[in-house]
């Protein structure tokens, strides 16, 4: 069972039961201690409310089970501190501000948020929420550290599969390999210049005393940073596009770049702080607009490509390599990559619904009609898709399903390693359980019997 983090539960609780007031309030108290962390009886209540807000049926979930989950979280966080895992205040504050902004958007004012949590003022509420978010981030980073250190060999994968009883061998659903050719509308030079001029105007207004933070909130089209004033922290290994990194590391502290282009659009960057190999910056992204005429031209281009493939003049793979505007798939003949399994096959029941709807009626080798689609930033384009191969539902086969079996074997090894780690750390850590919960049948040996 997957439980929500406490910070997420707080948000779900807030947006789901904002105006629900219980008839009675029970006295809160400490029911558990793990190292430097305490667990309150109200923390268990909060976990229940968070699960209900997600639509999870809680009738078969006990307080003992949720209490055990909270004990695990605190053990991870406690050990993260011992292992010198660092979660910066800036990181916590950035996430907290995003969560609070969402809460305020739901009800209209920060005062209502503070009142709902029964805190005396905004500072009291932020201190309370800060501690919860920091604990959650320590927990997740400790879990990641345990798992990241685990690797698996081909021999271990083979032995894992051999040890599965015949009647328990997993069945994998029908799978397909999908390829696509993309044609993006061309942006006119006039529209590019209009975008550059807008960014130059914003830059000058900031140089004249305006707030870059405010300008980013108002004008930036980067969904990952606009609500936080365009803020990012990065080093040379941070996975940003090369053009962005080149500009960011060429600027001095306090300097604002001229507009520059990446695959996402046009940007300006302002450097807040330089700390050794890291820079803290703010940026504004504006993407040039696509005209209806340009979109129609893209459709006509994809129709011509489709006609050439249908007539046998060129293969789909060669057409993708020669004409597709999607660089991620172009050199692979248009074949889509499944980020979940790290291979080219997609299990039909686990595909993105939008992609599934585009290929569900296609036979192997058949071409779709031109499809109007858009990327995660809302940029529209036309494409055609085809199914290269289709594998029906089948029992796992070691040779053809090796990568999936490897994933299962690795997950099994990770679970065992986490169980061993937990057992060891419970033995090394101060843990106290309130007598009300000492009759619980925990998965882990929290009572150290």
């Amino acid at each position: 069972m997957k439980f929500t983090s406490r910070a997420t539960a707080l948000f779900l609780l807030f947006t789901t039961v904002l105006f629900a007031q219980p008839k009675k309030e029970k006295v809160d108290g400490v029911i558990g201690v793990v190292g430097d962390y305490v667990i309150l009886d109200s923390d268990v209540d909060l976990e229940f409310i968070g699960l209900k807000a997600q639509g999870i049926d809680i009738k078969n979930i006990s307080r003992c089970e949720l209490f055990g989950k909270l004990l695990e979280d605190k053990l991870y966080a406690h050990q993260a501190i011992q292992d010198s895992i660092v979660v910066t205040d800036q990181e916590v504050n950035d996430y907290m501000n995003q969560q609070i902004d969402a809460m305020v958007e739901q009800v209209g004012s920060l005062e209502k948020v503070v009142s709902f949590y029964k805190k005396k003022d905004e500072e009291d509420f932020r201190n309370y929420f800060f501690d919860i978010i920091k604990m959650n981030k320590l927990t997740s980073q400790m879990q990641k550290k345990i798992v990241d250190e685990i690797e698996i060999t081909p021999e271990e994968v083979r032995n894992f599969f051999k040890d599965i009883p015949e009647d328990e061998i997993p069945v994998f659903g029908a799978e397909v390999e999908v390829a696509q050719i993309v044609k993006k509308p061309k942006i006119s030079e006039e529209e590019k210049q209009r975008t550059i001029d807008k960014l130059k105007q914003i830059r000058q207004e900031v140089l004249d005393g305006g707030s870059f933070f405010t300008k980013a909130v108002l004008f930036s089209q980067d969904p990952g940073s606009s609500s936080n004033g365009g803020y990012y922290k990065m080093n040379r290994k941070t996975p940003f596009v090369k053009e962005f990194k080149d500009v960011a590391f060429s600027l001095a502290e306090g300097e604002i770049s001229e507009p520059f282009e990446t695959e996402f659009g046009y940007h300006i960057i302002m450097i807040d702080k330089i700390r050794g190999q890291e820079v803290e910056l703010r940026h504004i992204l504006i993407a040039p607009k696509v005209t209806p005429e340009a979109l129609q031209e893209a459709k006509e281009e994809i129709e011509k490509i489709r006609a050439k493939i249908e007539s046998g003049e060129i293969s789909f793979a060669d057409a993708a390599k020669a004409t597709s505007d999607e660089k991620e798939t172009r050199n692979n003949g248009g074949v889509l990559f499944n980020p979940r399994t790290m291979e080219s096959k997609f299990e039909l029941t686990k595909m993105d619904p939008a992609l599934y709807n585009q290929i569900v009626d296609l036979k192997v080798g058949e071409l779709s009609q031109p499809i109007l689609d858009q990327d995660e930033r809302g940029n529209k384009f036309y494409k055609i898709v085809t199914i290269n191969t289709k594998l029906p539902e089948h029992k796992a086969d070691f040779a053809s399903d090796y990568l999936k079996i490897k994933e299962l074997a690795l997950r099994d090894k990770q679970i065992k390693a986490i169980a061993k780690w937990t057992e060891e750390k419970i033995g090394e850590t101060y843990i106290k359980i309130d007598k009300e919960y000492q009759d619980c049948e925990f998965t882990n040996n929290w009572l150290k019997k």
Side-chain angles (χ1 to χ4, degrees):
M1 178 177 295
K2 182 179 180 182
F3 296 108
T4 183
S5 70
R6 180 136 186 252
T8 304
L10 279 169
F11 176 66
L12 291 169
L13 162 64
F14 179 78
T15 58
T16 305
V17 295
L18 174 63
F19 300 109
Q21 296 295 331
K23 294 180 179 178
K24 295 182 180 180
E25 293 183 7
K26 64 181 180 181
V27 177
D28 203 2
V30 175
I31 58 173
V33 179
V34 180
D36 295 327
Y37 292 96
V38 300
I39 301 171
L40 303 176
D41 204 28
S42 61
D43 293 335
V44 179
D45 296 329
L46 185 59
E47 290 290 322
F48 271 116
I49 293 171
L51 293 176
K52 286 178 68 176
Q54 294 178 86
I56 296 174
D57 186 356
I58 64 171
K59 65 183 179 183
N60 294 321
I61 301 175
S62 67
R63 293 188 72 82
C64 287
E65 188 176 1
L66 288 188
F67 180 44
K69 165 65 171 53
L70 289 170
L71 288 167
E72 288 180 17
D73 289 345
K74 299 300 190 285
L75 181 66
Y76 285 123
H78 172 75
Q79 192 60 42
I81 299 296
Q82 310 309 307
D83 287 6
S84 301
I85 291 176
V86 176
V87 174
T88 66
D89 288 356
Q90 181 69 54
E91 183 181 352
V92 176
N93 282 320
D94 288 346
Y95 182 78
M96 179 172 66
N97 288 335
Q98 292 173 11
Q99 293 292 302
I100 292 175
D101 287 346
M103 294 178 184
V104 170
E105 186 177 344
Q106 288 288 322
V107 297
S109 74
L110 182 57
E111 289 74 16
K112 289 182 179 179
V113 177
V114 173
S115 174
F116 172 74
Y117 286 108
K118 300 179 180 177
K119 299 301 175 182
K120 62 183 180 181
D121 52 31
E122 179 183 347
E123 182 181 3
D124 189 30
F125 169 70
R126 285 184 176 274
N127 289 338
Y128 163 75
F129 204 24
F130 181 97
D131 291 341
I132 291 171
I133 292 172
K134 187 163 188 174
M135 194 276 293
N136 284 339
K137 287 187 174 293
L138 287 169
T139 295
S140 63
Q141 289 195 29
M142 188 69 243
Q143 291 171 329
K144 185 175 184 296
K145 180 180 179 181
I146 299 168
V147 170
D148 282 352
E149 294 173 351
I150 299 170
E151 297 179 346
I152 195 161
T153 66
E155 184 64 23
E156 287 176 307
V157 178
R158 187 176 296 108
N159 291 335
F160 169 80
F161 187 68
K162 285 168 59 178
D163 289 342
I164 301 176
E166 180 65 29
D167 61 348
E168 295 180 16
I169 292 176
V171 174
F172 296 129
E175 297 175 316
V176 293
E177 182 181 271
V178 180
Q180 67 182 25
I181 297 174
V182 170
K183 292 308 294 182
K184 299 178 181 179
K186 293 180 174 60
I187 307 296
S188 69
E189 292 302 318
E190 292 80 9
E191 177 60 21
K192 289 180 181 179
Q193 191 59 51
R194 186 198 67 81
T195 304
I196 293 170
D197 291 343
K198 178 62 177 177
L199 285 168
K200 284 185 174 181
Q201 177 188 343
I202 293 171
R203 179 180 184 273
Q204 189 58 52
E205 289 173 355
V206 174
L207 291 173
D208 291 340
S211 165
F212 197 103
F213 181 101
T214 301
K215 299 292 185 184
V217 171
L218 291 174
F219 299 110
S220 182
Q221 295 171 356
D222 176 15
S225 71
S226 60
S227 64
N228 195 31
Y231 176 85
Y232 281 119
K233 179 170 69 174
M234 59 183 286
N235 57 43
R236 292 189 181 276
K237 294 183 179 180
T238 305
F240 281 64
V241 293
K242 180 180 183 299
E243 299 89 344
F244 191 95
K245 290 166 73 172
D246 287 347
V247 174
F249 287 102
S250 71
L251 299 173
E253 198 168 284
E255 190 176 359
I256 304 175
S257 75
E258 293 289 344
F260 65 96
E261 185 179 11
T262 72
E263 63 189 74
F264 302 101
Y266 288 88
H267 312 249
I268 54 172
I269 290 176
M270 182 181 75
I271 302 299
D272 274 356
K273 294 177 184 176
I274 299 176
R275 302 189 180 195
Q277 299 301 310
E278 284 189 338
V279 297
E280 294 184 25
L281 60 85
R282 297 188 185 276
H283 90 119
I284 294 172
L285 165 67
I286 300 179
K289 293 180 180 178
V290 173
T291 65
E293 293 77 17
L295 197 58
Q296 180 60 31
E297 287 176 8
K299 182 180 181 182
E300 292 170 359
E301 285 188 55
I302 205 75
E303 287 173 340
K304 291 176 183 176
I305 295 167
R306 184 179 186 279
K308 288 182 179 180
I309 298 171
E310 287 277 36
S311 68
E313 183 178 336
I314 190 171
S315 69
F316 192 100
D318 288 342
K321 291 175 184 177
T323 66
S324 182
D325 291 333
E326 185 173 59
K327 66 179 183 180
E328 295 85 358
T329 61
R330 180 173 57 220
N331 294 330
N332 196 31
V335 174
L336 295 177
F337 178 73
N338 187 340
R340 190 182 64 82
T341 62
M342 309 299 286
E343 59 179 347
S344 62
K345 294 184 179 66
F346 291 80
E347 192 168 338
L348 284 174
T349 58
K350 297 178 181 177
M351 286 183 78
D352 175 80
L355 180 60
Y356 176 83
N357 290 333
Q358 292 166 2
I359 61 94
V360 64
D361 295 325
L362 294 179
K363 298 180 177 65
V364 174
E366 185 179 1
L367 297 178
S368 73
Q369 293 296 322
I371 298 168
L372 178 61
D373 206 343
Q374 63 182 33
D375 61 23
E376 65 277 4
R377 298 183 298 278
N379 298 319
K380 294 181 179 180
F381 57 87
Y382 274 95
K383 69 178 184 179
I384 52 174
V385 298
T386 190
I387 295 177
N388 286 342
T389 59
K390 189 170 186 178
L391 185 66
E393 182 178 277
H394 62 285
K395 259 191 173 184
D397 175 79
F398 186 78
S400 60
D401 296 310
Y402 177 79
L403 289 177
K404 294 186 186 64
I405 295 167
K406 179 181 178 181
E407 183 182 354
L408 294 175
L410 178 60
R411 193 180 307 153
D412 180 71
K413 187 175 181 180
Q414 290 171 340
I415 290 171
K416 290 176 180 176
I418 288 173
K420 181 181 178 182
W421 180 93
T422 302
E423 182 180 357
E424 291 175 354
K425 298 308 175 185
I426 286 176
E428 300 171 2
T429 306
Y430 172 74
I431 296 170
K432 183 178 180 181
I433 307 295
D434 185 77
K435 62 181 180 180
E436 181 184 349
Y437 287 86
Q438 289 187 5
D439 291 333
C440 289
E441 295 183 5
F442 296 115
T443 302
N444 298 308
N445 186 26
W446 297 112
L447 297 171
K448 301 187 180 183
K449 293 181 179 178

